[in-house]
Amino acid sequence: MKTGAKMRALKPVVDAIGFQGHSLLSINDLTNDQIYGLFALARSLEPWNRSMVNLLPGRIMAALFFQPSTRTRMSFETAMHRLGGAVITETTPLISSAVAKEETLNDMLKVVAKYANIIVMRHFDEVQAREAVAYSEAPVISGGFGHWEHPTQALLDLYTLWRTYGRIEGLKVCIASPDLIEARTGHSMAYGLARMGAKVVLASQKSKRTPESILSTLRAVNGSVEERFDLDQDGFNDLITDMDLVYLPGSSLPKGPEAEAFKKVMDNYLVRYETVTRVQQEQGRTIYVTHTLPRRPGEMDLRIDETPSQLYFEAIAYSVSIRMALILSILGL
Ligand code: CP
């Protein structure tokens, strides 16, 4: 289909989502209908995951990453290039931008918004980042703010789940990490899953349970959410036997003497290769496993890569089309 015809076909889908000009800081900035609208749009954009559809010529996306990233930055950049737009990127703003000369983040966003039509930003301080967004005249997409949320990671993982099962409602998902306080992808994913009717189990150390502010929002949407604390590896693998998806948001390794103790705790959340292959053989059912990546040695059994349970690399491909859909829905056609 020629670009003009493609634009005419997609415009009503993009318009129906009703997100033009909006920023995305939390997954809760989107309604369920908007999320399903993005899924439908992403599905129709999948043929351009590896080529270009010239829908956004002359539009510019700025990528401002105050923390390291491979996937989020590169898949947004890929998405914008695939849509025919251009990208300007700052990967070391604390060193190479005027922030290094004490320019405030508020001023930086005021300025960058004069160049770019849309901004994707990752920042280590969610309070500072959320405040600065108000100074941007261009819409801002969060690429992960502090320990708070990482909404587009959840969006791509929800999309991957929807493409895998054809639904979200009724699925049983365990979000597991020794530390669910700092798990910003886990927070966004729990919101999305609960709102869309999945049954969510949050497995962590009790001392690092999901923050009350997140739990109270989950309760407010009548989400099916339960918590399981301090399981050992046997108990954790028993728990996941019943799941449709195990969601591993990862966790940062503490520095110094706490690192070894934390690695031992992390071992309790290891998804065993034997668990997923046994369920596959005995029940003919796949327990899908996804990790938001990057993963560290000891976080998962790498043999899962070669099983039908592996969903984490499938998600990488889906991330491009869902991010294309999000950019289109914000910039419009
Ligand atoms: N999943 C994720 O956010 O990965 P990056 O840190 O590489 O962007």
Side-chain angles (χ1 to χ4, degrees):
M1 201 188 284
K2 292 227 166 72
T3 301
K6 192 72 203 163
M7 269 196 192
R8 282 191 293 281
L10 288 178
K11 187 167 169 30
V13 185
V14 171
D15 288 349
I17 294 169
F19 202 58
Q20 201 168 332
H22 287 271
S23 289
L24 181 73
L25 308 187
S26 163
I27 193 76
N28 293 329
D29 293 336
L30 292 163
T31 65
N32 287 1
D33 283 348
Q34 286 173 325
I35 292 175
Y36 283 120
L38 288 169
F39 288 177
L41 181 57
R43 184 80 179 87
S44 59
L45 291 167
E46 277 182 23
W48 289 277
N49 248 355
R50 307 286 291 175
S51 61
M52 207 252 267
V53 56
N54 202 23
L55 297 174
L56 294 177
R59 306 292 190 96
I60 291 179
M61 182 188 85
L64 307 178
F65 277 69
F66 286 81
Q67 289 180 304
S69 168
T70 299
R71 280 145 289 270
T72 308
R73 180 175 64 77
M74 293 180 82
S75 76
F76 266 115
E77 290 178 345
T78 303
M80 192 60 175
H81 284 301
R82 297 283 188 228
L83 290 168
V87 176
I88 51 176
T89 294
E90 177 55 89
T91 55
T92 53
L94 295 175
I95 299 168
S96 52
S97 83
V99 172
K101 297 188 286 187
E102 297 185 32
E103 182 163 59
T104 64
L105 187 61
N106 298 355
D107 277 359
M108 186 186 196
L109 287 193
K110 262 189 189 175
V111 170
V112 173
K114 298 282 185 200
Y115 307 133
N117 303 95
I118 189 165
I119 297 170
V120 180
M121 181 169 75
R122 170 171 288 184
H123 201 276
F124 47 84
D125 183 333
E126 67 263 36
V127 176
Q128 207 185 328
R130 288 163 74 180
E131 181 194 308
V133 168
Y135 291 83
S136 171
E137 67 186 53
V140 177
I141 301 173
S142 163
F145 283 1
H147 299 318
W148 179 53
E149 274 206 57
H150 188 346
T152 66
Q153 181 67 44
L155 196 57
L156 78 88
D157 288 321
L158 290 166
Y159 181 56
T160 304
L161 201 53
W162 181 76
R163 289 287 281 110
T164 304
Y165 280 101
R167 67 190 167 97
I168 306 282
E169 195 170 1
L171 295 177
K172 293 185 210 161
V173 180
C174 178
I175 299 176
S177 169
D179 183 350
L180 284 178
I181 294 177
E182 296 192 356
R184 61 189 176 192
T185 56
H187 302 160
S188 296
M189 189 64 172
Y191 283 144
L193 286 167
R195 278 180 28 203
M196 297 172 86
K199 298 177 194 327
V200 182
V201 179
L202 301 165
S204 69
Q205 297 182 89
K206 191 163 192 180
S207 58
K208 303 270 185 187
R209 70 191 289 191
T210 305
E212 183 51 36
S213 58
I214 310 269
L215 292 172
S216 59
T217 308
L218 289 168
R219 283 185 216 110
V221 295
N222 292 322
S224 168
V225 180
E226 62 176 280
E227 293 181 276
R228 299 292 298 275
F229 300 125
D230 299 327
L231 296 168
D232 61 14
Q233 198 185 93
D234 287 343
F236 176 61
N237 277 266
D238 282 348
L239 172 72
I240 64 172
T241 301
D242 194 32
M243 296 290 146
D244 297 303
L245 176 74
V246 184
Y247 189 79
L248 304 173
S251 54
S252 334
L253 197 61
K255 297 201 176 15
E258 287 172 44
E260 282 314 306
F262 192 79
K263 275 187 198 162
K264 286 206 182 87
V265 177
M266 213 168 70
D267 199 45
N268 293 331
Y269 298 86
L270 184 98
V271 181
R272 289 178 182 149
Y273 171 79
E274 292 76 9
T275 303
V276 296
T277 50
R278 183 171 45 77
V279 169
Q280 190 81 54
Q281 280 160 12
E282 292 178 2
Q283 301 177 25
R285 190 170 66 78
T286 304
I287 306 171
Y288 287 98
V289 178
T290 201
H291 190 302
T292 56
L293 305 175
R295 58 185 175 180
R296 283 195 314 271
E299 269 198 295
M300 63 192 305
D301 190 321
L302 298 185
R303 289 176 296 171
I304 294 173
D305 289 5
E306 308 308 324
T307 70
S309 293
Q310 179 278 113
L311 213 50
Y312 26 99
F313 294 123
E314 309 312 306
I316 302 294
Y318 289 131
S319 77
V320 175
S321 42
I322 192 73
R323 285 181 167 131
M324 285 166 80
L326 179 63
I327 293 168
L328 266 188
S329 76
I330 294 173
L331 291 182
L333 271 173

